[in-house]
Amino acid sequence: MMNRITRMVAMATVGLASLLTATAQKADGAATDYNDLPFEMMAVAEPKIPDYEVRLTDFGGVADGTTMNTEAFRKAIAALAQRGGGRLTVARGVWLTGPIELKSNTELHLEEGALVLFSPNRADYPLVDSYFEGVRMRRCMSPLTAVNAENIAITGTGVFNGNGQSWRPVKRGKMTDGQWKALCKGGALNKKGDVWYPTEQIRDIDADRDKYYQRAYSENTDEAWQELHDYLRPALLSFIGCKRVLLEDATFENSPAWNVHPLMCEDLTVRNVTIRNPWYSQNGDGLDIESCSNVVVTGCSFDVGDDAMCIKSGRDEEGRKRAMPTQNVVIRDCRVYHGHGGFVIGSEMSGGARNIMVDNCLFIGTDTGLRFKSTRGRGGTVEDIFIRNIGMADIPGDAITFDLYYGGKAPLEVAGKGGNQTAAPIPAVDETTPSFRNISVEGVTCNGAKRAIYMNGLPEMPIKDIKISRSTFKAQEGAILNYTDGLTLDGVKITAADGKAIKKYNNVTNLTVK
């Protein structure tokens, strides 16, 4: 009997017309169709913005790069909200500002040559109730913010720059001698001298952050949290609980932490945007789609310091209680030039992820190509993921990684190559056990990687029912398999410099090689 993933792949190749549910219209009138998806998905609804426009200069905005425009943005968006919505247009020039908060039925449009430069003064970003890395916490207000808004859009070919260098630490090993020397003319170094911080205060908090966090959470007072203020780096864009969201054509760059973070949103369209962070930026993710439903990402370009396109759904118990999987997602025609992973699921995936298609993407020089990661304690199920037509080149790590020991050691690593399972007891399967299953990867071409495939499941929960087909890998090592059940390699060519296409270690069952 065919397992579930085989049945779903069969559905994807025959009778696709029966899965057609809708055809959406782009803003330019071109169609985005859903007729080739191996799961049912309604068309993603785009925002409807009233036909009314104001310009930032109407509210005192000055594009000289030195005048603060925070109040001009606030007044303009408030005026649009009072009229029921419309478009705020920002003309060519350099617009220095603090945070911008979008309201329902509004569009922020940057004309060609417009640069919105967010203030490097950390005091301009008040602490707000927010989320970071999958859990609720206080955080500095994001430069671009929206909460529980409907029908919001950011469009135009302008640039949003988060002035992230005013917030982020930098590791010595990620800079050249000349870059490091120039950086150290300001800021402060840690005791070892191998990490630079923008200020001594940020350095001192980082050296003893557990103490600061314990006090903040136990006392939960403004004073206790304020001590952490400068350490609580915001995402450049944080949209929480919003519906019908469009991000189109703009560039989002140089974020203090994650770059673009839609959380618990419905009907999200990300089209032809450019997302950039310095390659050395800590927590410099590109696009983190967390607990969102009905998402289309097309024609985007990424060059970032951490994971580029990442699927998340909350962390540990809080994520499981939220119980909002990221689902019904289509990612097409995107390019990643640098990042820890090109397309990533995890590690904060405790609410689960399902019904995701990634198609026709390029990963050039990313640390890993396709990256699936979690660890004990997370829980959550990742299933029904379909990836096809992926080109990769010059991957320093793995072309494809499944690792359920993210942040810890696997039995393979503890016991050594070919070693037996360690004597540590195997935990029972419960709600804290992560599960990755029913995943199809088809049409991957990888020219250059350290390893072609690395699959490292848990003894109590192997990675299950993965199919990799019609794919070619050129790598130093082939496929490393550890705790997998139901892996199918169909039409896969692995050229490994060490001469071994497949290495099996602990508990590899139901392996099919065609």
Side-chain angles (χ1 to χ4, degrees), residues 36-64:
D36 59 349
L37 301 183
F39 50 84
E40 293 188 19
M41 177 175 170
M42 296 299 293
V44 174
E46 297 193 10
K48 295 181 179 180
I49 307 298
D51 187 15
Y52 176 72
E53 181 180 18
V54 299
R55 303 185 73 84
L56 190 61
T57 50
D58 298 337
F59 298 87
V62 179
D64 61 2

Side-chain angles (χ1 to χ4, degrees), residues 270-274 297-302 332-336:
V270 183
R271 182 186 301 133
N272 298 335
V273 305
T274 298
V297 180
T298 56
C300 298
S301 177
F302 300 84
R332 279 195 170 109
D333 305 324
C334 294
R335 301 174 305 282
V336 182

Side-chain angles (χ1 to χ4, degrees), residues 227-469:
E227 285 188 350
L228 276 163
H229 178 278
D230 288 8
Y231 191 74
L232 299 175
R233 296 178 282 142
L236 174 58
L237 182 151
S238 174
F239 286 177
I240 302 175
C242 297
K243 297 180 179 180
R244 296 179 296 283
V245 177
L246 171 65
L247 306 177
E248 184 173 40
D249 295 334
T251 294
F252 302 89
E253 67 177 17
N254 197 17
S255 174
W258 292 357
N259 208 312
V260 176
H261 182 209
L263 169 64
M264 296 184 288
C265 294
E266 296 180 17
D267 289 316
L268 167 67
T269 302
V270 183
R271 182 186 301 133
N272 298 335
V273 305
T274 298
I275 297 179
R276 305 190 308 178
N277 267 344
W279 74 270
Y280 53 80
S281 57
Q282 290 193 19
N283 308 112
D285 291 25
L287 173 63
D288 290 282
I289 303 169
E290 181 174 350
S291 293
C292 295
S293 296
N294 302 330
V295 179
V296 172
V297 180
T298 56
C300 298
S301 177
F302 300 84
D303 193 339
V304 296
D306 208 310
D307 293 329
M309 299 179 286
C310 195
I311 303 297
K312 299 180 181 291
S313 59
R315 189 174 79 205
D316 299 343
E317 182 179 9
E318 184 172 327
R320 295 192 298 271
K321 287 183 177 180
R322 183 196 297 169
M324 294 180 64
T326 294
Q327 59 186 350
N328 299 336
V329 178
V330 178
I331 298 174
R332 279 195 170 109
D333 305 324
C334 294
R335 301 174 305 282
V336 182
Y337 293 104
H338 186 275
H340 288 182
F343 172 76
V344 180
I345 298 183
S347 69
E348 302 94 357
M349 39 63 66
S350 301
R354 60 183 179 232
N355 291 353
I356 297 172
M357 165 70 84
V358 181
D359 181 27
N360 195 33
C361 294
L362 291 174
F363 306 146
I364 305 169
T366 59
D367 292 353
T368 301
L370 302 170
R371 189 182 190 194
F372 301 83
K373 56 181 179 177
S374 189
T375 190
R376 287 176 175 142
R378 291 282 191 264
T381 298
V382 173
E383 61 184 349
D384 302 339
I385 313 298
F386 302 87
I387 300 172
R388 65 190 187 192
N389 305 324
I390 305 296
M392 304 183 196
D394 302 324
I395 307 298
D398 304 324
I400 301 175
T401 291
F402 289 84
D403 190 2
L404 299 190
Y405 281 87
Y406 178 70
K409 289 187 177 295
L412 178 64
E413 296 169 319
V414 173
K417 290 187 176 181
N420 296 320
Q421 168 63 32
T422 59
I426 297 174
V429 173
D430 59 20
E431 64 176 5
T432 70
T433 308
S435 174
F436 285 71
R437 65 193 186 195
N438 304 326
I439 298 172
S440 170
V441 179
E442 178 182 7
V444 171
T445 301
C446 176
N447 188 338
K450 181 179 178 181
R451 290 185 296 205
I453 302 167
Y454 180 61
M455 303 189 70
N456 191 30
L458 297 170
E460 69 273 21
M461 183 61 72
I463 302 162
K464 188 172 178 62
D465 293 338
I466 311 298
K467 182 175 183 180
I468 303 174
S469 60

Side-chain angles (χ1 to χ4, degrees), residues 91-347:
R92 176 184 296 272
V94 180
W95 307 85
L96 183 66
T97 184
I100 301 171
E101 184 172 4
L102 273 66
K103 303 296 184 181
S104 292
N105 306 312
T106 58
E107 174 184 353
L108 176 57
H109 179 79
L110 268 58
E111 294 181 338
E112 179 68 27
L115 168 61
V116 174
L117 182 63
F118 289 101
S119 168
N121 183 1
R122 293 175 295 276
D124 290 333
Y125 304 86
L127 290 178
V128 295
D129 291 331
S130 188
Y131 297 81
F132 188 65
E133 293 187 335
V135 295
R136 185 187 298 270
M137 66 179 301
R138 293 195 193 183
R139 205 80 185 169
C140 287
M141 186 177 186
S142 287
L144 290 164
T145 295
V147 179
N148 297 328
E150 299 185 4
N151 296 314
I152 56 174
I154 295 177
T155 63
T157 55
V159 176
F160 296 93
N161 185 297
N163 248 318
Q165 69 278 1
S166 300
W167 301 79
R168 294 187 305 259
V170 179
K171 294 179 179 178
R172 171 67 181 90
K174 294 192 174 185
M175 317 268 326
T176 66
D177 290 343
Q179 290 171 330
W180 184 253
K181 184 178 180 180
L183 186 67
C184 292
K185 290 181 179 179
L189 296 176
N190 66 346
K191 289 183 178 180
K192 287 186 177 181
D194 59 357
V195 180
W196 174 90
Y197 295 89
T199 68
E200 292 183 0
Q201 182 187 22
I202 295 175
R203 177 198 63 190
D204 295 344
I205 293 173
D206 192 47
D208 204 3
R209 58 184 177 272
D210 288 345
K211 179 190 76 174
Y212 285 93
Y213 274 114
Q214 287 172 4
R215 182 188 171 197
Y217 278 109
S218 61
E219 296 183 13
N220 199 27
T221 61
D222 290 340
E223 179 185 3
W225 278 105
Q226 198 62 37
E227 285 188 350
L228 276 163
H229 178 278
D230 288 8
Y231 191 74
L232 299 175
R233 296 178 282 142
L236 174 58
L237 182 151
S238 174
F239 286 177
I240 302 175
C242 297
K243 297 180 179 180
R244 296 179 296 283
V245 177
L246 171 65
L247 306 177
E248 184 173 40
D249 295 334
T251 294
F252 302 89
E253 67 177 17
N254 197 17
S255 174
W258 292 357
N259 208 312
V260 176
H261 182 209
L263 169 64
M264 296 184 288
C265 294
E266 296 180 17
D267 289 316
L268 167 67
T269 302
V270 183
R271 182 186 301 133
N272 298 335
V273 305
T274 298
I275 297 179
R276 305 190 308 178
N277 267 344
W279 74 270
Y280 53 80
S281 57
Q282 290 193 19
N283 308 112
D285 291 25
L287 173 63
D288 290 282
I289 303 169
E290 181 174 350
S291 293
C292 295
S293 296
N294 302 330
V295 179
V296 172
V297 180
T298 56
C300 298
S301 177
F302 300 84
D303 193 339
V304 296
D306 208 310
D307 293 329
M309 299 179 286
C310 195
I311 303 297
K312 299 180 181 291
S313 59
R315 189 174 79 205
D316 299 343
E317 182 179 9
E318 184 172 327
R320 295 192 298 271
K321 287 183 177 180
R322 183 196 297 169
M324 294 180 64
T326 294
Q327 59 186 350
N328 299 336
V329 178
V330 178
I331 298 174
R332 279 195 170 109
D333 305 324
C334 294
R335 301 174 305 282
V336 182
Y337 293 104
H338 186 275
H340 288 182
F343 172 76
V344 180
I345 298 183
S347 69

Side-chain angles (χ1 to χ4, degrees), residues 446-500:
C446 176
N447 188 338
K450 181 179 178 181
R451 290 185 296 205
I453 302 167
Y454 180 61
M455 303 189 70
N456 191 30
L458 297 170
E460 69 273 21
M461 183 61 72
I463 302 162
K464 188 172 178 62
D465 293 338
I466 311 298
K467 182 175 183 180
I468 303 174
S469 60
R470 294 194 310 103
S471 296
T472 302
F473 301 90
K474 181 181 178 181
Q476 296 177 34
E477 295 184 72
I480 310 298
L481 308 180
N482 198 45
Y483 294 105
T484 66
D485 180 13
L487 170 64
T488 297
L489 303 176
D490 186 357
V492 174
K493 180 180 180 180
I494 299 175
T495 303
D498 69 359
K500 297 180 180 179

